[in-house]
Amino acid sequence: MKFADEFRESSLARDLSRTLAREAEAIGRPVRIMEVCGGHTHAIFKFGLYDLLPPSVRMIHGPGCPVCVTPRAVVEMAVRLAEQPGIILCTFGDMMRVPGRTRSLAQARALGADVRMVYSALDALEIARRHPDRTVVWFAIGFETTVPGTASAVRRARAEHLHNFLLLCNQVTIAPALRAILEAPDVRVDAFIGPGHVSVIIGTEPYRFVAEQYRRPVVISGFEPLDILHSVFQILRQIRSGRPEVAVQYRRAVRPEGNRLALEVMEEVFEPRDQEWRGLGVIPASGLALRPPYADMDALRVFAGLLPPALPDPRGCRCGEVLRGVATPPDCPLFGTACTPSYPMGACMVSAEGACAAYYRYGRSTAAQPAAEVGEIARS
Ligand code: SF4
């Protein structure tokens, strides 16, 4: 199959659905599968895949949304940085609307701060070239998908002797987060649907501990409906056979060895550091810090005094539990009332990959309730 339509073929989806039902029956117990990546969460809702899964298979949403896991204190620091004279703060569009303690970056911009939405670190670097009299801060977020781009921008800034380019770095890596979830006493996950885009960069090796040490399957999946259903099938097969392993369903994009060039540039520029995640606390070696030759570009060092102490989520907000998979968005008392995409209280309602945004847009109140736009495959 080469084109998106082929991965949305309804008759194949129905066939797969029947096969899944047989597999689930043979397993004979409930199975909880965490889709790590918010892109999968949105695809599951958008295409009504809940309607095609056996009742004993429960999907749990994971922490794979970079906007959602950025701690509130770091968002607040970005706002404070943007409000410093002479600063241009560059960030992805989704990050603009996440509330810090006082306000969001979008609100700071409305009040006069120079906040610019860009599509990549290299866009931010170009702004630094064009404004040598200003300090440009790239608010770097994301998993391994975006890290190579940030690392390239850092290397180029150094090569060009640009001294006005800094990073507010909140880049994170996925494997330590999976370990934290597996170790959390209140989370029960039988298997993972692995993130497709991250795995294009890192390949399969970083997940091996999940299968070998924790005896849980990982299937790295594409983002189309048949990709996801096929990944669930592979997971059920592994559970039934009692042989967990790391498998790649998304073979058209992911190679087991990953992208060596991207891994090399990441390795040259960044080193692991302990990192706080919204909802998961501090996870050892889960974040990335600039290595010593680039450390002078770290905005956290240059403007250390602007970082507030840890900030809890707003009262009532359950983003942290949603990100750990122990609560669903409708469990939050603010969902759909005080917190909506237009007036978000938490990050999970803002991001295009956030679970609360997915429920609001497609599911509204429960995972099993199809909205008008979804269930199209199931009904056709
Ligand atoms: S509904 Fe809003 S406040 Fe509640 S968990 Fe989701 S993002 Fe947080």
Side-chain angles (χ1 to χ4, degrees):
M1 293 196 281
K2 293 182 196 154
F3 306 108
D5 284 354
E6 297 167 293
F7 290 92
R8 300 178 181 184
E9 170 60 45
S10 58
S11 60
L12 289 177
R14 283 196 299 272
D15 286 350
L16 260 172
S17 176
R18 285 190 282 272
T19 307
L20 290 178
R22 285 195 294 273
E23 289 295 323
E25 198 181 333
I27 291 171
R29 65 170 173 86
V31 174
R32 294 163 60 89
I33 302 173
M34 175 174 278
E35 82 272 2
V36 174
C37 172
H40 286 136
T41 307
H42 277 252
I44 288 165
F45 277 93
K46 179 177 178 185
F47 296 107
L49 300 188
Y50 281 111
D51 294 347
L52 298 172
L53 295 177
S56 61
V57 173
R58 166 110 190 263
M59 302 304 294
I60 304 164
H61 321 305
C65 163
V67 172
C68 302
V69 299
T70 301
R72 196 166 165 231
V74 177
V75 179
E76 176 66 13
M77 166 136 188
V79 171
R80 293 180 183 183
L81 263 175
E83 292 176 342
Q84 298 299 302
I87 297 258
I88 301 174
L89 191 123
C90 299
T91 187
F92 291 126
D94 278 358
M95 194 41 111
M96 301 269 295
R97 295 192 305 117
V98 178
R101 189 181 70 79
T102 48
R103 56 184 70 92
S104 67
L105 286 166
Q107 289 165 330
R109 183 167 72 173
L111 293 170
D114 196 344
V115 180
R116 303 193 189 182
M117 190 193 94
V118 296
Y119 293 101
S120 73
L122 294 175
D123 291 346
L125 185 68
E126 178 55 24
I127 292 170
R129 286 192 195 102
R130 281 194 267 119
H131 297 278
D133 55 328
R134 309 272 300 276
T135 298
V136 173
V137 179
W138 166 234
F139 189 2
I141 62 161
F143 290 84
E144 289 94 331
T145 326
T146 58
V147 177
T150 298
S152 294
V154 167
R155 268 210 321 205
R156 282 200 204 179
R158 179 55 29 97
E160 296 173 26
H161 305 290
L162 280 178
H163 299 297
N164 64 331
F165 182 71
L166 301 181
L167 290 192
L168 175 56
C169 192
N170 208 78
Q171 306 253 213
V172 287
T173 53
I174 195 69
L178 297 189
R179 190 182 290 278
I181 285 168
L182 288 162
E183 294 285 340
D186 58 345
V187 185
R188 190 170 74 70
V189 177
D190 296 308
F192 293 97
I193 288 189
H197 296 150
V198 165
S199 307
V200 169
I201 305 297
I202 66 175
T204 55
E205 182 61 26
Y207 306 110
R208 192 163 10 149
F209 75 95
V210 179
E212 291 185 354
Q213 192 179 337
Y214 293 92
R215 309 290 301 157
R216 309 288 210 284
V218 179
V219 176
I220 297 162
S221 178
F223 293 85
E224 294 297 335
L226 293 186
D227 288 323
I228 295 170
L229 292 174
H230 187 217
S231 298
V232 173
F233 167 71
Q234 291 189 13
I235 283 171
L236 296 184
R237 263 285 154 94
Q238 287 190 37
I239 290 174
R240 194 175 157 190
S241 70
R243 288 198 297 272
E245 60 179 14
V246 181
V248 180
Q249 183 280 332
Y250 196 26
R251 287 194 191 168
R252 60 195 186 277
V254 175
R255 284 177 295 179
E257 71 275 20
N259 182 326
R260 292 219 170 100
L261 214 59
L263 290 170
E264 273 170 29
V265 68
M266 282 168 57
E267 179 66 21
E268 181 200 315
V269 172
F270 291 110
E271 61 187 5
R273 74 168 172 206
D274 297 348
Q275 173 99 16
E276 188 196 341
W277 297 51
R278 192 190 292 251
L280 295 170
V282 175
I283 302 178
S286 66
L288 294 170
L290 289 161
R291 288 192 184 276
Y294 303 102
D296 57 321
M297 297 165 74
D298 184 352
L300 278 170
R301 285 188 180 206
V302 179
F303 295 96
L306 291 182
L307 181 65
L311 290 174
D313 284 331
R315 188 192 296 261
C317 168
R318 298 185 68 180
C319 280
E321 291 157 89
V322 170
L323 288 165
R324 291 205 317 280
V326 295
T328 61
D331 294 331
C332 174
L334 310 180
F335 177 80
T337 53
C339 182
T340 66
S342 306
Y343 297 97
M345 297 286 287
C348 303
M349 188 59 93
V350 175
S351 164
E353 296 190 345
C356 296
Y359 271 71
Y360 190 89
R361 183 167 181 197
Y362 299 114
R364 194 75 192 191
S365 59
T366 71
Q369 178 187 31
E373 300 167 68
V374 300
E376 59 191 53
I377 285 183
R379 288 195 297 271
S380 59

